[in-house]
PDB file of all heavy atoms in Angstrom:
ATOM      1  N   MET A  50       7.314  -4.870   4.213  1.00 84.00           N
ATOM      2  CA  MET A  50       8.335  -5.752   4.754  1.00 84.00           C
ATOM      3  C   MET A  50       9.708  -5.210   4.380  1.00 84.00           C
ATOM      4  O   MET A  50       9.936  -4.841   3.222  1.00 84.00           O
ATOM      5  CB  MET A  50       8.173  -7.156   4.165  1.00 84.00           C
ATOM      6  CG  MET A  50       9.095  -8.181   4.754  1.00 84.00           C
ATOM      7  SD  MET A  50       8.632  -8.756   6.388  1.00 84.00           S
ATOM      8  CE  MET A  50       7.228  -9.741   6.015  1.00 84.00           C
ATOM      9  N   ALA A  51      10.588  -5.128   5.354  1.00 82.00           N
ATOM     10  CA  ALA A  51      11.963  -4.683   5.115  1.00 82.00           C
ATOM     11  C   ALA A  51      12.908  -5.825   5.474  1.00 82.00           C
ATOM     12  O   ALA A  51      12.761  -6.445   6.527  1.00 82.00           O
ATOM     13  CB  ALA A  51      12.279  -3.463   5.968  1.00 82.00           C
ATOM     14  N   THR A  52      13.825  -6.119   4.580  1.00 79.00           N
ATOM     15  CA  THR A  52      14.831  -7.144   4.847  1.00 79.00           C
ATOM     16  C   THR A  52      16.212  -6.498   4.791  1.00 79.00           C
ATOM     17  O   THR A  52      16.401  -5.463   4.156  1.00 79.00           O
ATOM     18  CB  THR A  52      14.755  -8.288   3.820  1.00 79.00           C
ATOM     19  OG1 THR A  52      14.899  -7.746   2.518  1.00 79.00           O
ATOM     20  CG2 THR A  52      13.429  -9.025   3.925  1.00 79.00           C
ATOM     21  N   PHE A  53      17.151  -7.132   5.446  1.00 76.00           N
ATOM     22  CA  PHE A  53      18.496  -6.568   5.578  1.00 76.00           C
ATOM     23  C   PHE A  53      19.535  -7.561   5.072  1.00 76.00           C
ATOM     24  O   PHE A  53      19.309  -8.759   5.042  1.00 76.00           O
ATOM     25  CB  PHE A  53      18.798  -6.244   7.054  1.00 76.00           C
ATOM     26  CG  PHE A  53      17.825  -5.271   7.639  1.00 76.00           C
ATOM     27  CD1 PHE A  53      16.676  -5.712   8.273  1.00 76.00           C
ATOM     28  CD2 PHE A  53      18.044  -3.915   7.527  1.00 76.00           C
ATOM     29  CE1 PHE A  53      15.773  -4.816   8.812  1.00 76.00           C
ATOM     30  CE2 PHE A  53      17.143  -3.005   8.054  1.00 76.00           C
ATOM     31  CZ  PHE A  53      16.004  -3.458   8.699  1.00 76.00           C
ATOM     32  N   GLY A  54      20.686  -7.035   4.734  1.00 71.00           N
ATOM     33  CA  GLY A  54      21.807  -7.885   4.378  1.00 71.00           C
ATOM     34  C   GLY A  54      21.830  -8.268   2.911  1.00 71.00           C
ATOM     35  O   GLY A  54      20.946  -7.942   2.126  1.00 71.00           O
ATOM     36  N   ALA A  55      22.862  -8.985   2.560  1.00 69.00           N
ATOM     37  CA  ALA A  55      23.061  -9.499   1.207  1.00 69.00           C
ATOM     38  C   ALA A  55      22.981 -11.017   1.264  1.00 69.00           C
ATOM     39  O   ALA A  55      23.086 -11.606   2.342  1.00 69.00           O
ATOM     40  CB  ALA A  55      24.421  -9.039   0.694  1.00 69.00           C
ATOM     41  N   PRO A  56      22.807 -11.676   0.133  1.00 67.00           N
ATOM     42  CA  PRO A  56      22.713 -13.145   0.162  1.00 67.00           C
ATOM     43  C   PRO A  56      23.904 -13.834   0.828  1.00 67.00           C
ATOM     44  O   PRO A  56      23.747 -14.892   1.435  1.00 67.00           O
ATOM     45  CB  PRO A  56      22.631 -13.514  -1.314  1.00 67.00           C
ATOM     46  CG  PRO A  56      22.083 -12.299  -1.976  1.00 67.00           C
ATOM     47  CD  PRO A  56      22.600 -11.132  -1.184  1.00 67.00           C
ATOM     48  N   ALA A  57      25.085 -13.257   0.749  1.00 71.00           N
ATOM     49  CA  ALA A  57      26.267 -13.874   1.350  1.00 71.00           C
ATOM     50  C   ALA A  57      26.399 -13.560   2.833  1.00 71.00           C
ATOM     51  O   ALA A  57      27.229 -14.152   3.523  1.00 71.00           O
ATOM     52  CB  ALA A  57      27.522 -13.421   0.616  1.00 71.00           C
ATOM     53  N   ASP A  58      25.609 -12.648   3.360  1.00 67.00           N
ATOM     54  CA  ASP A  58      25.689 -12.231   4.759  1.00 67.00           C
ATOM     55  C   ASP A  58      24.765 -13.112   5.602  1.00 67.00           C
ATOM     56  O   ASP A  58      23.582 -12.847   5.731  1.00 67.00           O
ATOM     57  CB  ASP A  58      25.302 -10.766   4.889  1.00 67.00           C
ATOM     58  CG  ASP A  58      25.630 -10.187   6.252  1.00 67.00           C
ATOM     59  OD1 ASP A  58      26.120 -10.943   7.117  1.00 67.00           O
ATOM     60  OD2 ASP A  58      25.399  -8.985   6.445  1.00 67.00           O
ATOM     61  N   VAL A  59      25.312 -14.158   6.181  1.00 69.00           N
ATOM     62  CA  VAL A  59      24.522 -15.143   6.914  1.00 69.00           C
ATOM     63  C   VAL A  59      23.875 -14.542   8.156  1.00 69.00           C
ATOM     64  O   VAL A  59      22.746 -14.879   8.502  1.00 69.00           O
ATOM     65  CB  VAL A  59      25.409 -16.347   7.313  1.00 69.00           C
ATOM     66  CG1 VAL A  59      24.622 -17.354   8.142  1.00 69.00           C
ATOM     67  CG2 VAL A  59      25.988 -17.003   6.073  1.00 69.00           C
ATOM     68  N   THR A  60      24.514 -13.619   8.822  1.00 71.00           N
ATOM     69  CA  THR A  60      23.980 -13.078  10.072  1.00 71.00           C
ATOM     70  C   THR A  60      22.732 -12.239   9.860  1.00 71.00           C
ATOM     71  O   THR A  60      21.875 -12.158  10.730  1.00 71.00           O
ATOM     72  CB  THR A  60      25.035 -12.221  10.799  1.00 71.00           C
ATOM     73  OG1 THR A  60      25.459 -11.170   9.938  1.00 71.00           O
ATOM     74  CG2 THR A  60      26.210 -13.064  11.213  1.00 71.00           C
ATOM     75  N   LEU A  61      22.589 -11.596   8.702  1.00 69.00           N
ATOM     76  CA  LEU A  61      21.435 -10.740   8.439  1.00 69.00           C
ATOM     77  C   LEU A  61      20.445 -11.343   7.449  1.00 69.00           C
ATOM     78  O   LEU A  61      19.385 -10.768   7.211  1.00 69.00           O
ATOM     79  CB  LEU A  61      21.884  -9.379   7.903  1.00 69.00           C
ATOM     80  CG  LEU A  61      22.654  -8.504   8.885  1.00 69.00           C
ATOM     81  CD1 LEU A  61      23.110  -7.228   8.197  1.00 69.00           C
ATOM     82  CD2 LEU A  61      21.804  -8.164  10.088  1.00 69.00           C
ATOM     83  N   SER A  62      20.743 -12.498   6.887  1.00 68.00           N
ATOM     84  CA  SER A  62      19.900 -13.035   5.820  1.00 68.00           C
ATOM     85  C   SER A  62      18.489 -13.387   6.285  1.00 68.00           C
ATOM     86  O   SER A  62      17.561 -13.388   5.504  1.00 68.00           O
ATOM     87  CB  SER A  62      20.555 -14.259   5.179  1.00 68.00           C
ATOM     88  OG  SER A  62      20.652 -15.309   6.121  1.00 68.00           O
ATOM     89  N   GLU A  63      18.304 -13.703   7.559  1.00 73.00           N
ATOM     90  CA  GLU A  63      16.994 -14.088   8.077  1.00 73.00           C
ATOM     91  C   GLU A  63      16.254 -12.941   8.756  1.00 73.00           C
ATOM     92  O   GLU A  63      15.115 -13.105   9.176  1.00 73.00           O
ATOM     93  CB  GLU A  63      17.146 -15.238   9.083  1.00 73.00           C
ATOM     94  CG  GLU A  63      17.727 -16.495   8.489  1.00 73.00           C
ATOM     95  CD  GLU A  63      16.758 -17.167   7.530  1.00 73.00           C
ATOM     96  OE1 GLU A  63      15.542 -17.107   7.785  1.00 73.00           O
ATOM     97  OE2 GLU A  63      17.225 -17.744   6.536  1.00 73.00           O
ATOM     98  N   LEU A  64      16.881 -11.785   8.880  1.00 80.00           N
ATOM     99  CA  LEU A  64      16.278 -10.669   9.594  1.00 80.00           C
ATOM    100  C   LEU A  64      15.305  -9.906   8.698  1.00 80.00           C
ATOM    101  O   LEU A  64      15.658  -9.483   7.598  1.00 80.00           O
ATOM    102  CB  LEU A  64      17.358  -9.715  10.107  1.00 80.00           C
ATOM    103  CG  LEU A  64      16.894  -8.517  10.913  1.00 80.00           C
ATOM    104  CD1 LEU A  64      16.178  -8.972  12.180  1.00 80.00           C
ATOM    105  CD2 LEU A  64      18.054  -7.615  11.249  1.00 80.00           C
ATOM    106  N   ALA A  65      14.067  -9.766   9.162  1.00 82.00           N
ATOM    107  CA  ALA A  65      13.055  -9.010   8.423  1.00 82.00           C
ATOM    108  C   ALA A  65      12.164  -8.299   9.436  1.00 82.00           C
ATOM    109  O   ALA A  65      11.906  -8.812  10.523  1.00 82.00           O
ATOM    110  CB  ALA A  65      12.228  -9.926   7.546  1.00 82.00           C
ATOM    111  N   ILE A  66      11.698  -7.127   9.067  1.00 88.00           N
ATOM    112  CA  ILE A  66      10.805  -6.344   9.916  1.00 88.00           C
ATOM    113  C   ILE A  66       9.540  -6.062   9.120  1.00 88.00           C
ATOM    114  O   ILE A  66       9.615  -5.573   7.986  1.00 88.00           O
ATOM    115  CB  ILE A  66      11.462  -5.024  10.360  1.00 88.00           C
ATOM    116  CG1 ILE A  66      12.698  -5.303  11.201  1.00 88.00           C
ATOM    117  CG2 ILE A  66      10.468  -4.158  11.122  1.00 88.00           C
ATOM    118  CD1 ILE A  66      13.499  -4.071  11.551  1.00 88.00           C
ATOM    119  N   GLU A  67       8.382  -6.378   9.709  1.00 88.00           N
ATOM    120  CA  GLU A  67       7.110  -6.082   9.063  1.00 88.00           C
ATOM    121  C   GLU A  67       6.456  -4.912   9.787  1.00 88.00           C
ATOM    122  O   GLU A  67       6.324  -4.929  11.008  1.00 88.00           O
ATOM    123  CB  GLU A  67       6.183  -7.283   9.090  1.00 88.00           C
ATOM    124  CG  GLU A  67       4.896  -7.038   8.348  1.00 88.00           C
ATOM    125  CD  GLU A  67       4.015  -8.262   8.258  1.00 88.00           C
ATOM    126  OE1 GLU A  67       4.281  -9.256   8.951  1.00 88.00           O
ATOM    127  OE2 GLU A  67       3.043  -8.209   7.483  1.00 88.00           O
ATOM    128  N   LEU A  68       6.065  -3.890   9.042  1.00 88.00           N
ATOM    129  CA  LEU A  68       5.426  -2.709   9.605  1.00 88.00           C
ATOM    130  C   LEU A  68       3.991  -2.640   9.091  1.00 88.00           C
ATOM    131  O   LEU A  68       3.750  -2.778   7.899  1.00 88.00           O
ATOM    132  CB  LEU A  68       6.172  -1.449   9.193  1.00 88.00           C
ATOM    133  CG  LEU A  68       7.650  -1.392   9.577  1.00 88.00           C
ATOM    134  CD1 LEU A  68       8.330  -0.236   8.874  1.00 88.00           C
ATOM    135  CD2 LEU A  68       7.775  -1.259  11.066  1.00 88.00           C
ATOM    136  N   CYS A  69       3.049  -2.422   9.998  1.00 89.00           N
ATOM    137  CA  CYS A  69       1.646  -2.278   9.613  1.00 89.00           C
ATOM    138  C   CYS A  69       1.261  -0.803   9.678  1.00 89.00           C
ATOM    139  O   CYS A  69       1.606  -0.115  10.635  1.00 89.00           O
ATOM    140  CB  CYS A  69       0.753  -3.091  10.536  1.00 89.00           C
ATOM    141  SG  CYS A  69       0.939  -4.857  10.293  1.00 89.00           S
ATOM    142  N   HIS A  70       0.558  -0.348   8.660  1.00 91.00           N
ATOM    143  CA  HIS A  70       0.153   1.051   8.540  1.00 91.00           C
ATOM    144  C   HIS A  70      -1.367   1.116   8.410  1.00 91.00           C
ATOM    145  O   HIS A  70      -1.969   0.252   7.776  1.00 91.00           O
ATOM    146  CB  HIS A  70       0.787   1.692   7.302  1.00 91.00           C
ATOM    147  CG  HIS A  70       2.266   1.530   7.232  1.00 91.00           C
ATOM    148  ND1 HIS A  70       3.131   2.384   7.864  1.00 91.00           N
ATOM    149  CD2 HIS A  70       3.032   0.608   6.617  1.00 91.00           C
ATOM    150  CE1 HIS A  70       4.375   1.993   7.621  1.00 91.00           C
ATOM    151  NE2 HIS A  70       4.335   0.922   6.874  1.00 91.00           N
ATOM    152  N   PRO A  71      -1.993   2.151   8.976  1.00 93.00           N
ATOM    153  CA  PRO A  71      -3.447   2.284   8.817  1.00 93.00           C
ATOM    154  C   PRO A  71      -3.790   2.567   7.350  1.00 93.00           C
ATOM    155  O   PRO A  71      -3.101   3.323   6.669  1.00 93.00           O
ATOM    156  CB  PRO A  71      -3.822   3.456   9.708  1.00 93.00           C
ATOM    157  CG  PRO A  71      -2.554   4.167  10.019  1.00 93.00           C
ATOM    158  CD  PRO A  71      -1.438   3.204   9.814  1.00 93.00           C
ATOM    159  N   LEU A  72      -4.872   1.940   6.884  1.00 91.00           N
ATOM    160  CA  LEU A  72      -5.298   2.106   5.505  1.00 91.00           C
ATOM    161  C   LEU A  72      -6.284   3.249   5.341  1.00 91.00           C
ATOM    162  O   LEU A  72      -6.468   3.758   4.255  1.00 91.00           O
ATOM    163  CB  LEU A  72      -5.916   0.796   5.003  1.00 91.00           C
ATOM    164  CG  LEU A  72      -6.118   0.631   3.516  1.00 91.00           C
ATOM    165  CD1 LEU A  72      -4.803   0.775   2.764  1.00 91.00           C
ATOM    166  CD2 LEU A  72      -6.747  -0.700   3.203  1.00 91.00           C
ATOM    167  N   ASP A  73      -6.904   3.661   6.438  1.00 90.00           N
ATOM    168  CA  ASP A  73      -7.854   4.771   6.354  1.00 90.00           C
ATOM    169  C   ASP A  73      -7.750   5.636   7.613  1.00 90.00           C
ATOM    170  O   ASP A  73      -7.078   5.277   8.574  1.00 90.00           O
ATOM    171  CB  ASP A  73      -9.287   4.268   6.138  1.00 90.00           C
ATOM    172  CG  ASP A  73      -9.738   3.283   7.198  1.00 90.00           C
ATOM    173  OD1 ASP A  73      -9.200   3.300   8.322  1.00 90.00           O
ATOM    174  OD2 ASP A  73     -10.657   2.502   6.912  1.00 90.00           O
ATOM    175  N   GLN A  74      -8.421   6.766   7.570  1.00 93.00           N
ATOM    176  CA  GLN A  74      -8.327   7.728   8.673  1.00 93.00           C
ATOM    177  C   GLN A  74      -8.959   7.184   9.954  1.00 93.00           C
ATOM    178  O   GLN A  74      -8.438   7.405  11.050  1.00 93.00           O
ATOM    179  CB  GLN A  74      -8.990   9.038   8.283  1.00 93.00           C
ATOM    180  CG  GLN A  74      -8.794  10.139   9.300  1.00 93.00           C
ATOM    181  CD  GLN A  74      -9.344  11.471   8.828  1.00 93.00           C
ATOM    182  OE1 GLN A  74     -10.023  11.550   7.818  1.00 93.00           O
ATOM    183  NE2 GLN A  74      -9.048  12.515   9.566  1.00 93.00           N
ATOM    184  N   ALA A  75     -10.051   6.447   9.848  1.00 92.00           N
ATOM    185  CA  ALA A  75     -10.711   5.894  11.034  1.00 92.00           C
ATOM    186  C   ALA A  75      -9.797   4.914  11.762  1.00 92.00           C
ATOM    187  O   ALA A  75      -9.719   4.910  12.992  1.00 92.00           O
ATOM    188  CB  ALA A  75     -12.019   5.221  10.638  1.00 92.00           C
ATOM    189  N   THR A  76      -9.070   4.103  11.016  1.00 93.00           N
ATOM    190  CA  THR A  76      -8.138   3.158  11.627  1.00 93.00           C
ATOM    191  C   THR A  76      -6.989   3.909  12.293  1.00 93.00           C
ATOM    192  O   THR A  76      -6.578   3.558  13.398  1.00 93.00           O
ATOM    193  CB  THR A  76      -7.590   2.181  10.569  1.00 93.00           C
ATOM    194  OG1 THR A  76      -8.682   1.428  10.024  1.00 93.00           O
ATOM    195  CG2 THR A  76      -6.574   1.221  11.167  1.00 93.00           C
ATOM    196  N   GLY A  77      -6.482   4.926  11.639  1.00 94.00           N
ATOM    197  CA  GLY A  77      -5.402   5.731  12.228  1.00 94.00           C
ATOM    198  C   GLY A  77      -5.821   6.376  13.535  1.00 94.00           C
ATOM    199  O   GLY A  77      -5.064   6.350  14.512  1.00 94.00           O
ATOM    200  N   GLN A  78      -7.026   6.899  13.574  1.00 94.00           N
ATOM    201  CA  GLN A  78      -7.516   7.517  14.806  1.00 94.00           C
ATOM    202  C   GLN A  78      -7.723   6.482  15.908  1.00 94.00           C
ATOM    203  O   GLN A  78      -7.401   6.730  17.064  1.00 94.00           O
ATOM    204  CB  GLN A  78      -8.815   8.264  14.527  1.00 94.00           C
ATOM    205  CG  GLN A  78      -8.621   9.508  13.690  1.00 94.00           C
ATOM    206  CD  GLN A  78      -9.934  10.152  13.261  1.00 94.00           C
ATOM    207  OE1 GLN A  78     -10.992   9.555  13.376  1.00 94.00           O
ATOM    208  NE2 GLN A  78      -9.841  11.372  12.761  1.00 94.00           N
ATOM    209  N   ALA A  79      -8.241   5.302  15.544  1.00 93.00           N
ATOM    210  CA  ALA A  79      -8.445   4.249  16.542  1.00 93.00           C
ATOM    211  C   ALA A  79      -7.111   3.775  17.115  1.00 93.00           C
ATOM    212  O   ALA A  79      -6.983   3.577  18.327  1.00 93.00           O
ATOM    213  CB  ALA A  79      -9.203   3.076  15.922  1.00 93.00           C
TER     214      ALA A  79
END
Side-chain angles (χ1 to χ4, degrees):
M50 186 76 72
T52 57
F53 301 91
D58 192 358
V59 177
T60 58
L61 293 176
S62 65
E63 298 290 325
L64 182 62
I66 297 173
E67 184 175 12
L68 302 169
C69 290
H70 307 275
L72 195 58
D73 56 24
Q74 187 174 9
T76 298
Q78 290 173 347

